[in-house]
């Protein structure tokens, strides 16, 4: 089986490549933006430089690689960036996926395509909505959320219009080693590691800590991606998450408990989002029923691994 991972050099993409190479006999290739570092990837994975916003380059890539499975992970994934430059996020996320799906139709190819949406699609969540089901109304409250809805529904449209076997997922927050320090768990862990190494004063600067999110380990998440792609129903959409809300404050307290140092916590107004959802967590019964997936890595183990990753990075 020939698999193509877009965004393979990224956080989830690199973990997915690791998983497929360890657990399957598939040939794994992936694309990254030109100039990105691929040295952290397993050398058995073929790394190709392609700008997915280039329609001709995408068609050439798919024609040459002829993948039987595509995991489309490439995207601008940081919500605050979408506030600063909304069009860049919309263009990046929507154009890239449109080019992929359109090229497949033009080539007459019919690989399984995993379309990665986001829990952010649900947006402004009402208490009556919880836990979030796949049929919960979408109320996007960021440009990023709008871009992911567009990707989600492009997958549905190409399934309905062209019978392209797209399976859609809405992953909730996933954390783990290698994640950018733009994201909350890595941001806290990096600061703790720098404090322990004497590179920073013993103060962690934080945004809102009361928000509750559905956190999963990225290694559990990519296992779900593989299962949904192989066992999920084309045209359907699946929530992927632990189904359990955890406050950001609890995440920080857990990380702090792994350090012997006394570290002060200070609020930084610059880390506050223009719009934020107080609580969001999913009903994951649909993906469980379809694939048998369930998260297996404890929350505390994930955070310990994140902190150890950053301890190694700051040395």
């Amino acid at each position: 089986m020939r698999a193509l991972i877009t965004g393979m050099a990224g956080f989830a993409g690199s973990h997915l490549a690791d998983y497929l190479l360890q657990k399957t006999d598939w040939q794994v290739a992936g694309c990254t933006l030109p100039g990105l570092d691929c040295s952290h990837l397993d050398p058995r994975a073929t790394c190709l430089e392609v700008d997915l916003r280039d329609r001709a380059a995408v068609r050439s890539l798919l024609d040459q690689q002829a993948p039987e499975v595509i995991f489309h992970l490439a995207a601008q994934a940081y919500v605050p960036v979408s506030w600063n430059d909304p069009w860049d996020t919309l263009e990046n996320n929507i154009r890239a996926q449109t080019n992929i799906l359109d090229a497949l139709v033009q080539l007459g190819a019919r690989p399984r395509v995993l379309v990665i949406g986001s829990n952010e699609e649900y947006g402004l969540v009402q208490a009556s909505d919880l836990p979030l089901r796949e049929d919960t109304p979408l109320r996007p409250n960021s440009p990023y959320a709008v871009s992911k809805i567009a990707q989600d529904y492009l997958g549905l449209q190409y399934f309905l219009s062209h019978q392209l076997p797209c399976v859609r997922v809405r992953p909730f927050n996933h954390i783990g080693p290698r994640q950018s320090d733009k994201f909350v768990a890595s941001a806290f862990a990096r600061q703790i590691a720098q404090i322990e190494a004497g590179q920073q004063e013993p103060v962690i600067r934080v945004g809102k800590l009361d928000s509750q999110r559905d956190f999963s380990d990225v290694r559990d998440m990519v296992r779900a991606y593989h299962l949904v792609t192989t066992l999920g129903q084309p045209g359907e959409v699946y929530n992927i998450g632990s189904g359990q809300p955890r406050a950001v404050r609890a995440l920080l307290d857990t990380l702090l408990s792994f350090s012997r140092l006394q570290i002060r916590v200070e609020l930084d107004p610059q880390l506050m989002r223009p719009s934020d959802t107080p609580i969001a967590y999913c009903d994951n019964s649909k993906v469980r029923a379809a694939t048998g997936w369930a998260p297996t890595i404890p929350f505390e183990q994930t955070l310990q691994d994140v902190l150890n990753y950053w301890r190694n990075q700051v040395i």
Side-chain angles (χ1 to χ4, degrees):
M1 185 76 75
R2 296 181 303 277
L4 178 71
I5 303 170
T6 70
M8 188 170 68
F11 171 50
S14 65
H15 282 284
L16 178 59
D18 288 347
Y19 179 84
L20 294 179
L21 290 167
Q22 292 167 7
K23 302 296 184 179
T24 76
D25 59 357
W26 294 6
Q27 298 174 31
V28 177
C31 57
T32 70
L33 279 171
L36 285 185
D37 181 19
C38 293
S39 61
H40 60 292
L41 295 170
D42 189 308
R44 291 175 292 170
T46 302
C47 191
L48 308 163
E49 292 190 349
V50 179
D51 187 339
L52 297 176
R53 295 168 296 186
D54 183 332
R55 186 183 185 191
V58 170
R59 177 165 177 159
S60 177
L61 168 73
L62 296 176
D63 190 24
Q64 292 174 15
Q65 294 296 313
E68 296 163 279
V69 178
I70 298 175
F71 299 90
H72 180 43
L73 275 65
Q76 193 299 103
Y78 187 47
V79 174
V81 166
S82 77
W83 288 107
N84 298 334
D85 188 350
W87 177 240
D88 182 69
T89 294
L90 291 166
E91 180 186 31
N92 191 341
N93 294 356
I94 298 171
R95 185 187 291 271
Q97 184 171 306
T98 303
N99 285 343
I100 292 169
L101 299 181
D102 184 60
L104 293 174
V105 170
Q106 297 303 318
L107 292 167
R110 293 178 54 80
R112 280 263 180 154
V113 181
L114 184 70
V115 173
I116 307 293
S118 169
N119 67 288
E120 293 285 341
E121 294 179 54
Y122 295 111
L124 192 60
V125 174
Q126 309 293 333
S128 58
D129 295 329
L130 297 170
L132 295 165
R133 294 166 44 90
E134 289 81 359
D135 57 2
T136 299
L138 307 180
R139 306 184 189 94
N141 58 352
S142 72
Y144 170 76
V146 172
S147 77
K148 298 310 284 186
I149 290 174
Q151 288 189 243
D152 187 336
Y153 278 77
L154 274 168
L156 177 60
Q157 181 251 303
Y158 271 81
F159 168 74
L160 295 174
S161 302
H162 303 285
Q163 295 74 55
L164 198 62
C166 297
V167 186
R168 301 169 290 138
V169 291
R170 294 176 187 154
F172 282 63
N173 302 68
H174 40 293
I175 57 178
R178 303 181 202 155
Q179 189 171 31
S180 165
D181 60 0
K182 292 178 180 179
F183 296 88
V184 63
S186 276
F188 293 158
R190 176 187 57 78
Q191 292 184 70
I192 292 172
Q194 289 180 323
I195 291 167
E196 291 177 339
Q199 300 176 8
Q200 177 180 322
E201 62 178 329
V203 177
I204 287 186
R205 291 170 178 84
V206 303
K208 189 175 181 180
L209 294 177
D210 295 332
S211 299
Q212 296 183 59
R213 295 291 182 267
D214 187 330
F215 293 105
S216 298
D217 191 293
V218 66
R219 294 160 292 193
D220 276 331
M221 186 62 66
V222 300
R223 180 168 52 86
Y225 289 171
H226 172 244
L227 288 169
V228 170
T229 303
T230 53
L231 300 175
Q233 184 69 29
E236 291 296 318
V237 63
Y238 300 89
N239 285 335
I240 307 177
S242 70
Q244 179 178 355
R246 296 180 186 270
V248 175
R249 186 181 304 277
L251 182 152
L252 176 57
D253 288 345
T254 301
L255 283 169
L256 289 172
S257 74
F258 297 144
S259 179
R260 294 187 297 272
L261 300 181
Q262 289 294 113
I263 299 174
R264 195 166 72 252
V265 176
E266 291 185 357
L267 185 67
D268 184 347
Q270 294 187 348
L271 297 175
M272 306 295 276
R273 291 186 182 182
S275 178
D276 196 25
T277 301
I279 180 171
Y281 62 99
C282 76
D283 177 339
N284 61 16
S285 58
K286 185 175 178 180
V287 73
R288 284 175 176 264
T291 69
W293 177 86
T296 60
I297 302 173
F299 181 65
E300 294 76 14
Q301 182 62 56
T302 301
L303 293 179
Q304 182 73 73
D305 292 347
V306 173
L307 181 54
N308 289 338
Y309 168 80
W310 281 105
R311 283 169 171 162
N312 291 329
Q313 295 298 305
V314 302
I315 292 174

